[in-house]
């Protein structure tokens, strides 16, 4: 399979012209933090909505010396993550890893790894809906004008309505956040728990929406502020009284699962790479 | 010098519109300027473009209500929509005197400044509440939108102000968190009015606010507009094709036809002693 692809496809699947165009859009996105840069999203050998935006970014960024990690909702071994890893392996010489520490490029969906990014790492997030104004405004022409005029009152209004209805902000994922005091972004459907990790981070965050044909970025050391009212502040999920049943971790984002045999509710780390490392460390002790 | 009956008239008009032209359509060599059109039409017979407003000028003073009357298609709504930036004008100026301590032509300022004018200096009430309100958000939320746009990010303060405004327009506070689509037409108009007043704008534009409402509801809305004008001292431009509404509200009246102002003056004078043939026809066509 690998030999066949090597012969029939360009290095890292995309042709050089496409990669150049994506890199140019990426550079523009880095230059204007939070601004959605349109790009000519290519047809990929995976379905739209399965991470084509993230994959195009990854393929245009990786080189022989890179090490790639792909995670899907925190899991290294989910079908989507494994398929993407196999595709990249088969059309490039890039090595893949499950260890966040060793990866130079991490492609992810729905989670940011527990271990903070270093300045030599890039996190590529797959984004289904890049436009934070889309829920209240259907027309692209209008949302562009609203971004240009910094008119985000409809996003704030959504938070207000939430507070009126539920006495708190109930947005669980894709929490609208202000980047560099200018653009409000949808930080892809990561949980609220992960949003503070974007603020003044050392690594580069890239967001790719293949279906919507948009790329945006949060460069290192950029301010990212989740929206909050003066009397209703932003809060992350609280796992204070829960522990991962595998590694005993108390300070990571936990998944709530039911034991198939006992029917008991248990918790385990959402980031499996982080959890495995902790388990190994525990065993070594 | 424009004569007005407003007792608290100041010499400097709050809003001064000059030579406002608004065209729908691309235009052609036969209608490059509105002067090229015949007097009894505002539509180009060659390309079909319509000059909705031709050389319109007026002055609005503090606390004054100007009524604009005319038949359908005479350019009344286009005029107020242009002043609220809903429509792009072809040419003209509109100078607002209360602009950050000075005065400014609202059509020549930047997009962000236009947004400032829409949020702070002007309020608009549309004929159709669906244009002025977001029906998927609560009535309190609709008022909140204006307050947030003006920089209020405190839910408690927003709700206090929304309660105050809804109370003013006689909508029960208990219904503040209901969707406006559950309200009657009159109530929707009153929510629109409270939204328009959220940031105490000095100018309020009302486009056929009583059209489609039954007579008793109309009377309540008109009373409310009078009350607001008295209490807030807001300058208003009221568009209506109903001369009864104009008689009740307006200090001065402007009559429009084919996009042109054919006559303007004190409301009593216009309605009792119309000078222009069209105004005479309009006044005498009352059922």
């Amino acid at each position: 399979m690998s030999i066949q692809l090597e012969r029939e496809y360009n290095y890292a699947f995309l042709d050089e012209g496409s990669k150049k165009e994506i890199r140019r859009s990426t550079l523009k996105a880095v230059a204007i933090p939070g601004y959605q840069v349109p790009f000519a999203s290519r047809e990929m050998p995976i379905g739209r909505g399965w991470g084509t935006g993230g994959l195009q970014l990854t393929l245009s960024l990786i080189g022989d010396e890179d090490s790639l990690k792909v995670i899907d909702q925190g899991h290294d071994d989910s079908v989507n993550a494994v398929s993407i890893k196999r595709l990249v392996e088969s059309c490039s010489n890039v090595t893949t890893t499950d260890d966040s520490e060793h990866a130079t490029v991490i492609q992810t969906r729905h989670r940011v790894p527990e271990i903070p990014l270093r300045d030599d790492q890039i996190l590529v997030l797959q984004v289904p809906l890049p436009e934070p104004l889309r829920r209240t405004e259907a027309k692209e022409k209008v949302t562009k004008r609203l971004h240009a005029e910094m008119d985000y009152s409809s996003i704030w209004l959504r938070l207000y309505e939430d507070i009126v209805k539920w006495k708190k902000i109930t947005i669980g994922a894709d929490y609208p956040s202000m980047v560099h005091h200018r653009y409000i972004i949808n930080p892809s459907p990561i949980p609220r728990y992960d949003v503070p990790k974007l603020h003044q981070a050392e690594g580069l965050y890239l967001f790719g929406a293949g279906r919507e044909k948009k790329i945006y970025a949060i460069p290192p050391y950029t301010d990212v502020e989740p929206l909050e009212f003066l009397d209703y502040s932003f809060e992350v999920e609280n796992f204070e009284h829960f522990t991962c049943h595998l590694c005993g971790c108390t300070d990571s984002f936990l998944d709530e699962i039911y034991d198939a045999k006992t029917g008991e509710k248990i918790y385990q780390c959402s980031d499996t790479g982080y959890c495995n490392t902790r388990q190994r460390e525990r065993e070594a002790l | 010098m424009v004569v007005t009956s407003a007792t608290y008239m100041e010499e400097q008009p709050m809003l001064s519109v000059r030579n406002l032209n608004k065209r729908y359509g691309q235009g052609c060599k036969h209608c490059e300027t509105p002067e090229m059109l015949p007097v009894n039409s505002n539509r180009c017979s060659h390309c079909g473009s319509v000059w909705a407003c031709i050389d319109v000028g007026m002055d609005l003073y503090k606390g004054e209500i100007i009524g604009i009357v005319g038949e359908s298609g005479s350019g009344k709504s286009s005029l107020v929509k242009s002043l609220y930036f809903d429509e792009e004008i072809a040419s003209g100026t509109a100078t607002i005197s209360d602009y950050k301590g000075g005065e400014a032509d609202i059509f020549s300022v930047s997009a962000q400044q236009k947004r400032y004018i829409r949020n702070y200096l002007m309020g608009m009430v549309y004929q159709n509440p669906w244009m002025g309100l977001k029906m998927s958000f609560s009535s309190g939320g609709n008022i909140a939108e204006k307050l947030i746009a003006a920089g209020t990010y405190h839910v408690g303060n927003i709700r206090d102000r929304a309660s105050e405004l809804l109370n003013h327009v006689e909508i029960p506070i208990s219904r503040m968190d209901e969707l406006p689509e559950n309200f009657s037409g009159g109530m929707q108009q009153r929510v629109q009015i409270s939204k328009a007043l959220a940031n105490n704008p000095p100018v309020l534009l009302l486009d056929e606010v009583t059209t489609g409402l039954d007579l008793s509801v109309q009377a309540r809305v008109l009373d409310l507009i009078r009350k607001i004008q008295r209490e807030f001292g807001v300058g208003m431009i009221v568009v209506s094709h109903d001369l009864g509404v104009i008689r009740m509200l307006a200090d001065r009246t402007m009559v429009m036809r084919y996009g042109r102002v054919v006559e303007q003056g004190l409301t009593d004078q216009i309605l009792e002693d119309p000078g222009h043939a069209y105004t005479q026809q309009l006044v005498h066509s009352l059922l």
Side-chain angles (χ1 to χ4, degrees):
Chain A
M1 180 67 177
S2 166
I3 297 160
Q4 196 188 348
L5 276 171
E6 218 170 273
R7 209 182 304 132
E8 292 176 3
Y9 289 93
N10 197 37
Y11 181 85
F13 190 78
L14 295 169
D15 63 278
E16 292 308 310
S18 299
K19 281 191 225 167
K20 241 183 201 175
E21 198 262 341
I22 294 167
R23 284 177 202 143
R24 262 202 298 266
S25 303
T26 308
L27 281 174
K28 185 171 177 181
V30 172
I32 316 170
Y35 175 70
Q36 295 170 47
V37 183
F39 79 110
S41 183
R42 268 69 181 175
E43 286 295 328
M44 299 302 292
I46 56 171
R48 291 258 195 243
W50 286 75
T52 51
L55 185 59
Q56 286 175 81
L57 277 171
T58 301
L59 292 172
S60 63
L61 290 169
I62 51 166
D64 282 349
E65 288 166 11
D66 279 313
S67 173
L68 176 71
K69 175 182 163 81
V70 182
I71 43 177
D72 181 3
Q73 303 205 39
H75 293 254
D76 290 282
D77 48 4
S78 77
V79 175
N80 197 15
V82 171
S83 304
I84 289 173
K85 260 188 278 191
R86 276 193 192 152
L87 173 74
V88 179
E89 276 170 347
S90 64
C91 61
S92 70
N93 301 326
V94 171
T95 54
T96 56
T97 175
D98 289 349
D99 192 347
S100 298
E101 297 265 24
H102 293 133
T104 54
V105 177
I106 304 170
Q107 182 175 332
T108 176
R109 171 176 171 262
H110 291 203
R111 276 309 311 278
V112 173
E114 295 294 344
I115 297 167
L117 285 192
R118 294 188 311 268
D119 58 4
D120 60 341
Q121 289 180 309
I122 297 173
L123 191 79
V124 175
L125 287 120
Q126 301 167 200
V127 183
L129 291 169
E131 182 51 72
L133 290 157
R134 185 64 69 229
R135 282 171 196 268
T136 47
E137 181 50 62
K139 292 177 189 158
E140 181 72 10
K141 190 181 164 189
V142 178
T143 55
K144 275 189 175 175
R145 185 177 57 77
L146 294 174
H147 276 295
E149 292 177 12
M150 237 180 129
D151 184 353
Y152 294 125
S153 47
S154 62
I155 301 176
W156 284 96
L157 197 51
R158 206 179 130 211
L159 305 187
Y160 168 86
E161 290 286 303
D162 239 16
I163 291 166
V164 166
K165 212 178 261 180
W166 310 107
K167 309 288 176 220
K168 61 176 182 179
I169 298 168
T170 58
I171 300 170
D174 228 354
Y175 194 93
S177 307
M178 178 69 84
V179 177
H180 199 52
H181 315 286
R182 178 59 185 88
Y183 288 102
I184 287 182
I185 61 157
N186 263 357
S188 86
I190 55 172
R192 277 179 296 167
Y193 186 88
D194 285 343
V195 176
K197 292 177 191 169
L198 308 179
H199 178 65
Q200 287 291 328
E202 287 185 24
L204 168 65
Y205 287 82
L206 296 176
F207 300 79
R211 192 171 40 196
E212 303 288 324
K213 303 178 175 64
K214 294 280 172 60
I215 290 171
Y216 50 106
I218 301 174
Y221 307 108
T222 301
D223 285 340
V224 180
E225 293 149 346
L227 301 191
E228 57 183 2
F229 283 102
L230 295 172
D231 48 346
Y232 283 87
S233 51
F234 168 79
E235 285 172 2
V236 298
E237 293 86 346
N238 186 2
F239 297 104
E240 210 175 301
H241 306 294
F242 305 108
T243 311
C244 171
H245 78 113
L246 295 172
C247 71
C249 181
T250 54
D251 58 354
S252 77
F253 187 82
L254 300 173
D255 285 341
E256 185 185 276
I257 46 176
Y258 284 86
D259 190 305
K261 287 176 190 162
T262 61
E264 193 190 343
K265 188 159 70 176
I266 50 174
Y267 293 87
Q268 78 179 46
C269 289
S270 161
D271 185 343
T272 52
Y274 176 73
C275 192
N276 291 339
T277 310
R278 280 187 57 91
Q279 284 177 62
R280 279 197 297 274
E281 283 170 1
R282 260 174 87 175
E283 279 163 20
L285 282 172
Chain B
M1 175 71 192
V2 181
V3 183
T4 172
S5 65
T7 49
Y8 24 75
M9 185 196 88
E10 291 176 2
E11 283 211 356
Q12 172 89 351
M14 290 168 68
L15 183 69
S16 183
V17 181
R18 292 286 177 272
N19 309 108
L20 192 142
N21 292 303
K22 160 74 193 156
R23 183 177 68 191
Y24 293 102
Q26 291 298 308
C28 66
K29 62 179 181 179
H30 301 284
C31 63
E32 276 169 1
T33 58
E35 291 80 33
M36 295 165 81
L37 295 170
V39 184
N40 59 355
S41 171
N42 58 345
R43 185 174 178 276
C44 174
S45 55
H46 295 271
C47 68
S49 296
V50 173
W51 282 92
C53 297
I54 300 172
D55 225 10
V56 175
M58 64 172 182
D59 288 321
L60 175 72
Y61 290 85
K62 190 181 177 194
E64 184 191 29
I65 300 182
I66 289 185
I68 304 178
V69 285
E71 61 197 11
S72 293
S74 59
K76 314 182 294 288
S77 294
S78 292
L79 174 61
V80 285
K81 282 178 182 168
S82 298
L83 291 174
Y84 201 59
F85 311 115
D86 285 340
E87 303 281 359
E88 211 166 299
I89 61 160
S91 61
T93 60
T95 308
I96 197 154
S97 62
D98 200 8
Y99 184 79
K100 295 179 179 174
E103 57 176 41
D105 171 20
I106 63 170
F107 296 127
S108 59
V109 296
S110 70
Q112 276 187 340
Q113 286 170 322
K114 280 179 183 167
R115 198 175 144 240
Y116 168 82
I117 291 169
R118 272 176 74 112
N119 286 328
Y120 287 88
L121 304 182
M122 284 189 194
M124 174 85 170
V125 183
Y126 295 89
Q127 176 180 356
N128 185 351
W130 290 81
M131 282 181 75
L133 298 175
K134 284 193 164 76
M135 292 296 175
S136 54
F137 290 115
S138 64
S139 45
N142 272 284
I143 298 168
E145 188 188 13
K146 272 268 181 182
L147 295 168
I148 290 166
T152 309
Y153 296 108
H154 189 285
V155 176
N157 292 351
I158 289 171
R159 290 185 69 75
D160 287 347
R161 177 72 178 141
S163 309
E164 189 189 328
L165 287 160
L166 290 174
N167 191 33
H168 224 90
V169 296
E170 294 162 19
I171 286 181
I173 308 301
S174 57
R175 302 194 70 178
M176 183 162 78
D177 298 330
E178 280 185 38
L179 300 182
E181 65 184 5
N182 298 337
F183 291 178
S184 67
M187 283 175 86
Q188 288 176 349
Q189 287 301 46
R190 281 183 277 150
V191 174
Q192 264 209 95
I193 291 170
S194 57
K195 182 180 180 177
L197 289 171
N199 294 317
N200 288 325
V203 177
L204 197 60
L205 310 170
L206 302 124
D207 185 10
E208 304 267 16
V209 279
T210 54
T211 307
L213 303 178
D214 67 56
L215 285 175
S216 63
V217 179
Q218 267 191 34
R220 283 183 73 185
V221 172
L222 294 177
D223 281 345
L224 176 68
I225 293 168
R226 263 287 178 213
K227 187 175 126 189
I228 287 164
Q229 186 248 352
R230 268 199 314 272
E231 289 179 16
F232 295 90
V234 185
M236 296 186 192
I237 298 176
V238 179
V239 168
S240 182
H241 60 260
D242 185 343
L243 290 180
V245 170
I246 296 299
R247 188 190 291 275
M248 187 176 166
L249 291 178
D251 299 310
R252 283 188 302 129
T253 297
M254 209 164 91
V255 185
M256 288 185 76
R257 193 186 197 194
Y258 300 133
R260 298 169 178 90
V261 178
V262 294
E263 188 172 1
Q264 62 175 315
L266 296 173
T267 302
D268 290 344
Q269 183 194 324
I270 295 278
L271 296 182
E272 300 304 329
D273 184 18
H276 193 274
Y278 173 67
T279 317
Q280 289 170 4
Q281 193 186 333
L282 204 66
V283 171
H284 293 119
S285 64
L286 281 172
L287 288 173

